[in-house]
Amino acid sequence: MQSVRDVTFQLLREFGLTTIFGNVGSTEETFLKNFPSDFRYVLALQEASVIAIADGFAQSTGRPALVNVHTGAGLGNAMGNLLTASLNKTPLIVTAGQQTREMLLMEPWLTNVDATMFPRPWVKWAYEPVRAEDVPAAFMRAIATALQPPAGPVFLSLPLDDWEKPCVGPAVVRTVSRRIGPDNARLAEFAKALTEASSPVLIYGAAIDRGKGWSEAIALAEALGAPVWAAPACERAPFPENHPLYSGGLPFAIGPLSKKLEGHDVALVVGAPVFRYYPHVPGPYLPEGMRLLHISDDAAETARAPVGDSLLGDAVLSLAALAKLLGEPKQKTDKAREKVTHRVASSPSNGAKAKNDGLLTAEQVFTALSEIRPPNAILVEESPSNLADLHKCWPITEPASFFTFASGGLGWSLPASVGIALAERDAGRDRPVIMIIGDGAFQYSVQSIWTAAQFRLPILIVVLRNGEYCILKSLAAFQETPGVPGLDLPDIDIVSLAKGYGCDAVRLDDLEAIKRAAAEAWTKSKPTLLEIPISPEVPPLL
Ligand SMILES: Cc1ncc(C[n+]2csc(CCOP(=O)(O)OP(=O)(O)O)c2C)c(N)n1
Ligand SMILES: [Mg+2]
């Protein structure tokens, strides 16, 4: 007779879930016992890193990823990045060990009390099997749930004494659809509204890049001749940023966003929330007289939109179907193109430093790095106060080349870059990965660079050291809250931290040296960190 472990591992093989991202404890050792040689264990030293490495890996492979953390405490450490994975719509099968069933009633050490409540509301489904022999089928249901739209994390709590129990195999293997087709009648209404619009505008979201839909997104934009904005705080780039119809990223505040859409009568949002706002800047949601159409496969997202009419459906299927309904490109292409606000081309770096304090600015650093970046480089970002400069200096021109977090919770991007680099290597693509991060953000999941070093991943990590939580100073000015403590970060030796975890690391304040070090980083078989002191100047928030 097979064991629960045998049947479960066989099911995992069927789904290619042979990499387990984890941090182990006694409640997980029974699951990992005699770890099969065709499986790979990716150890991260803290669970925030475990989840985000898995998230980056899943996004990069386009497939679900399997996570194993240590009962309640490990899940607790994982929660911030679990929230982010949920908003990123990443299918993660998150598992944690549970104490022995026989002792659960009296709650010994390591009991995950109310295990299925703990990860909510950031998982689509949480379950602790009622019987040991239900474990394999629970995995099957977890995989199906994580993959079905909207994709997202699920959680299984697995008592440590289940794995040796007898189990009848093999587990039933099922497949599920990952895309919901749009309703044709509703789609025809949307197409009519777009055709009749005198000046339509498109707002594209991360679901387009997740669904590998750049060509469909371009085809619709060109068929309409409409300008394209990236949705506010978009976690992936949905459209080539060097395309003549690209207008930039929308601001994440109510009033300023609606101002940007002025002059248009119909807006179509595809694959993003309406809208991802952050600071409260009052104003109308939309300019006077505008009709908003919204396409998403997430019914919660379409339900909570404050304005507009929605269509439930996969972003890319809907784009393709709409382009078909619209037919040949319209004459107004040229007119619409004239309206597109072309972004300022970044000026080449000249080696000069900012005048005021002798330190480089983030913009100078980004411009210099952009000059030497390979065209297929992947940019992973978590640099709050410098994001606008980064987008300006570093247009994304290829799909799946920009990743950041959909949540606002720091500590995701550094470990995510590790998962992305691992997936790149697995796939034999080996696209160079550059990770740009603030000195504050770097600290949240810093342990993940050890995993990068252990797996010999040649990630270039650029830490912009302004010695502060700059964006929070901008917010304090914006919110008129002077005197907030805890916004300065003196005395952190980032180079030593990186070396301590096994990375190459150096502090540089000269643009030519930065370019040389960056170009060299991608030729190595280990991560390289550049600590770059930058001006602590605090820019306005919006
Ligand atoms: C988990 C988490 N804790 C705290 C915050 C609040 N927060 C937002 S931005 C920020 C500072 C980021 O500092 P840094 O990375 O140095 O970037 P800078 O603003 O200096 O560019 C903090 C602490 C957060 N977003 N997420
Ligand atoms: Mg900082």
Side-chain angles (χ1 to χ4, degrees):
M1 179 69 108
Q2 289 182 293
S3 67
V4 168
R5 187 189 303 104
D6 298 332
V7 178
T8 302
F9 273 83
Q10 195 47 44
L11 178 80
L12 296 175
R13 281 186 188 97
E14 295 283 346
F15 284 95
L17 291 169
T18 52
T19 296
I20 300 180
F21 300 89
N23 188 272
V24 65
S26 55
T27 43
E28 293 71 43
E29 285 180 324
T30 53
F31 165 52
L32 300 169
K33 179 179 159 186
N34 295 328
F35 196 61
S37 59
D38 60 330
F39 277 64
R40 169 174 65 172
Y41 189 78
V42 177
L43 173 64
L45 304 181
Q46 211 268 11
E47 291 81 357
S49 293
V50 173
I51 293 279
I53 293 173
D55 189 337
F57 186 82
Q59 289 201 42
S60 194
T61 57
R63 298 193 299 108
L66 179 59
V67 172
N68 184 239
V69 294
H70 181 49
T71 181
L75 186 59
N77 286 343
M79 279 308 291
N81 278 336
L82 191 61
L83 174 161
T84 297
S86 168
L87 295 176
N88 286 346
K89 301 189 173 162
T90 305
L92 292 183
I93 320 302
V94 181
T95 62
Q98 170 66 294
Q99 255 291 8
T100 313
R101 285 182 189 272
E102 204 176 297
M103 297 202 293
L104 277 179
L105 181 61
M106 54 188 175
E107 296 183 11
W109 246 27
L110 305 187
T111 302
N112 194 355
V113 179
D114 282 338
T116 58
M117 183 159 76
F118 196 170
R120 292 178 203 274
W122 302 113
V123 291
K124 293 174 70 182
W125 183 58
Y127 190 66
E128 186 171 278
V130 173
R131 308 174 306 160
E133 55 267 46
D134 290 336
V135 168
F139 267 92
M140 183 60 248
R141 180 166 166 186
I143 293 164
T145 307
L147 283 173
Q148 288 186 142
V154 295
F155 176 69
L156 290 178
S157 168
L158 303 166
L160 69 88
D161 51 329
D162 283 0
W163 298 104
E164 302 288 351
K165 302 257 171 70
C167 187
V168 179
V172 176
V173 175
R174 304 172 51 238
T175 60
V176 292
S177 167
R178 297 184 66 175
R179 304 199 291 179
I180 296 179
D183 164 32
N184 285 335
R186 186 87 173 153
L187 202 67
E189 273 178 47
F190 275 33
K192 184 162 178 283
L194 289 167
T195 315
E196 289 172 2
S198 62
S199 180
V201 58
L202 296 167
I203 299 154
Y204 284 162
I208 293 172
D209 197 44
R210 279 197 297 270
K212 299 187 169 62
W214 273 37
S215 52
E216 288 83 351
I218 295 165
L220 181 71
E222 290 180 350
L224 277 172
V228 174
W229 290 90
C234 202
E235 68 273 28
R236 294 181 52 161
F239 194 77
E241 296 180 4
N242 57 351
H243 190 285
L245 289 171
Y246 186 65
S247 299
L250 283 175
F252 52 12
I254 298 170
L257 188 153
S258 98
K259 267 209 129 18
K260 292 278 187 198
L261 300 180
E262 276 173 4
H264 298 286
D265 54 348
V266 174
L268 173 68
V269 182
V270 184
V274 172
F275 284 105
R276 184 172 288 146
Y277 297 122
Y278 178 30
H280 183 223
V281 184
Y285 290 111
L286 300 172
E288 179 82 35
M290 170 176 271
R291 181 173 181 205
L292 183 130
L293 308 172
H294 182 199
I295 299 178
S296 167
D297 65 6
D298 181 344
E301 198 166 88
T302 54
R304 71 168 183 267
V307 286
D309 302 316
S310 72
L311 163 56
L312 206 54
D314 177 77
V316 181
L317 290 178
S318 303
L319 284 171
L322 271 178
K324 216 165 165 188
L325 287 174
L326 291 171
E328 285 305 298
K330 300 209 297 181
Q331 290 307 313
K332 52 184 166 179
T333 302
D334 290 340
K335 205 170 121 228
R337 279 184 190 195
E338 279 164 26
K339 283 193 192 165
V340 172
T341 33
H342 282 289
R343 282 130 46 84
V344 197
S346 53
S347 52
S349 64
N350 53 16
K353 295 181 183 180
K355 280 182 224 94
N356 49 357
D357 50 14
L359 293 168
L360 295 170
T361 63
E363 187 176 350
Q364 286 176 306
V365 175
F366 298 152
T367 306
L369 290 170
S370 181
E371 278 169 32
I372 56 115
R373 68 167 163 160
N376 62 347
I378 296 174
L379 174 62
V380 191
E381 174 278 325
E382 196 167 291
S383 176
S385 69
N386 306 306
L387 184 54
D389 283 337
L390 184 56
H391 280 307
K392 192 169 75 179
C393 302
W394 195 292
I396 300 298
T397 57
E398 289 190 18
S401 300
F402 176 75
F403 296 85
T404 191
F405 52 122
S407 67
L410 296 176
W412 182 84
S413 300
L414 183 62
S417 73
V418 180
I420 291 165
L422 187 62
E424 280 295 317
R425 192 170 65 196
D426 282 2
R429 287 188 299 260
D430 285 316
R431 297 170 64 195
V433 176
I434 175 165
M435 197 295 117
I436 294 189
I437 191 161
D439 51 355
F442 179 71
Q443 314 304 331
Y444 291 83
S445 303
V446 62
Q447 304 90 340
S448 59
I449 63 177
W450 176 85
T451 307
Q454 290 298 310
F455 280 84
R456 311 190 69 73
L457 298 169
I459 305 170
L460 169 62
I461 302 163
V462 176
V463 182
L464 298 169
R465 173 150 187 194
N466 52 14
E468 62 185 356
Y469 288 155
C470 180
I471 189 84
L472 296 185
K473 293 184 179 176
S474 298
L475 272 153
F478 172 81
Q479 298 184 130
E480 296 173 19
T481 54
V484 174
L487 302 183
D488 290 309
L489 301 175
D491 307 330
I492 305 178
D493 184 346
I494 292 167
V495 167
S496 293
L497 286 174
K499 285 185 175 164
Y501 282 115
C503 303
D504 277 353
V506 61
R507 191 171 298 121
L508 294 174
D509 61 2
D510 171 81
L511 291 173
E512 289 309 315
I514 290 168
K515 285 199 264 188
R516 272 196 306 276
E520 197 195 330
W522 291 308
T523 67
K524 295 184 191 169
S525 56
K526 52 152 76 169
T528 303
L529 179 142
L530 308 183
E531 179 189 327
I532 304 179
I534 59 160
S535 166
E537 211 174 301
V538 178
L541 185 67
L542 290 168

